[in-house]
Amino acid sequence: MDYIGHVIRPPSEAYSMIIQVTVGCSHNQCTFCGTYKDQKFRLKDMATIKRDIDEMSSYRHGFRKAFLADGDVLILPNEEILEIMQYIRKKNPTIERIGVYGNTKAILKKTPEELRALRQSGLGIVYQGIESGNKEVLRRVKKGAFPHKQLEAAEKVKEAGMLLSQTVLLGIGGTELSEEHAIDTGKHLGAMSPQYAGALTVMLLPNTELYRQAQEGNFVLPDKFGMLNELRLMIVNMKVKSPCFFTSNHASNYLPIRASFPEDRHKVIALIEEVLKKRDDRLLKPEHMRAL
Ligand code: SF4
C-alpha cells in the first residue's frame, strides 16, 4: 500500500478498508493537532489510489465499510470522490458504507446536490471535528470554523441523508475558558444533535503550537478532575433533539462512557458527579495508559 505519513482513522473504522486519497490536511493550522504537521496537503494520483484499492481488495474479501483518508478528502471535486467510491464498490460489492473526515469549510463548499450525489454513491458517514462550541476557544485554537458555520455544515450533512459523527475536545479551552467551553460545547452538540458524538481529552504534543504555549505558561490544561468537570457540564447542557450515541471511551480520556442520549443522560451525569465527589484517582484511567 502506498501509505504516506500517519494514516489515521476514527475508532469505529477499525475493520474498514482504509484508502489514503489525500495526504495531510488542507487546513493544518489547529494549535493542538500534530498529526499532519510534517505533511504538505496533496491529492494522490488516481492510478495510485486505484492500485491501493486493488491491493486491499485482494487481501481480504467481504469488507463492509471503507474509509477515505487523510484529513480532508471532501475538499476534492465531487467527480474525483465519486470515481474513487465507485471503484471501491465495483471491486468490493459487499461495501455498505464509506466514510470520510469532513472539515467544516469543505462540507460548506459542497452544494446540497453534490452531497446527495455522494450519499447516493455510498458515502454514508461524515466525521466532523468540532472541538468546541465556544467561539473564543475556536479562535484561539485556529480551528478555522466558528460554531454557526459548524452548525450549518452539520445540517447539510444530515439533510443529505448521511450519518454525522462529531468529536469535541475536553481541556481545549485551558483552565481560563474551561467552564465556558464545556457549557457552550454541550449546547452546541445539543443543537446539532449528531447521530454520534465523542469526547476526547487534550494531550499536549511536542510538535504543536499548543504545547509551546503551555511551555511558555500561556496555556494551562485543567487537571484530570477539571477535565471530568468539563465532561459533566457538557452533558448537563447537551439536550439532543434526536437520538445520539455518546462516547468518551477514546484512549485519551480519564473516564470511559458509552451512552445513548437522551435516555441515559441523567444516569451519566450522576455517575460523573459521584466520581467528582470521591476525587479518587483510582476511579480514573492512569496517566501512563492514556494515548492519542
Ligand atoms: S484537527 Fe483536523 S482540521 Fe485541524 S489541523 Fe488537524 S486534521 Fe486539520
Side-chain angles (χ1 to χ4, degrees), residues 25 27-30 32-33 36 143:
C25 159
H27 179 58
N28 214 8
Q29 288 178 40
C30 300
F32 56 88
C33 175
Y36 303 119
K143 184 65 195 173

Side-chain angles (χ1 to χ4, degrees), residues 13-19 53 55-66 88 91-97:
E13 301 286 346
Y15 300 105
S16 305
M17 164 184 275
I18 309 291
I19 301 297
I53 296 170
E55 193 179 334
M56 193 64 105
S57 310
S58 69
Y59 287 154
R60 198 181 113 192
H61 298 289
F63 276 109
R64 291 176 52 218
K65 293 195 282 182
I88 288 176
K91 293 282 173 169
N92 301 271
T94 51
I95 291 280
E96 294 164 5
R97 186 182 92 184

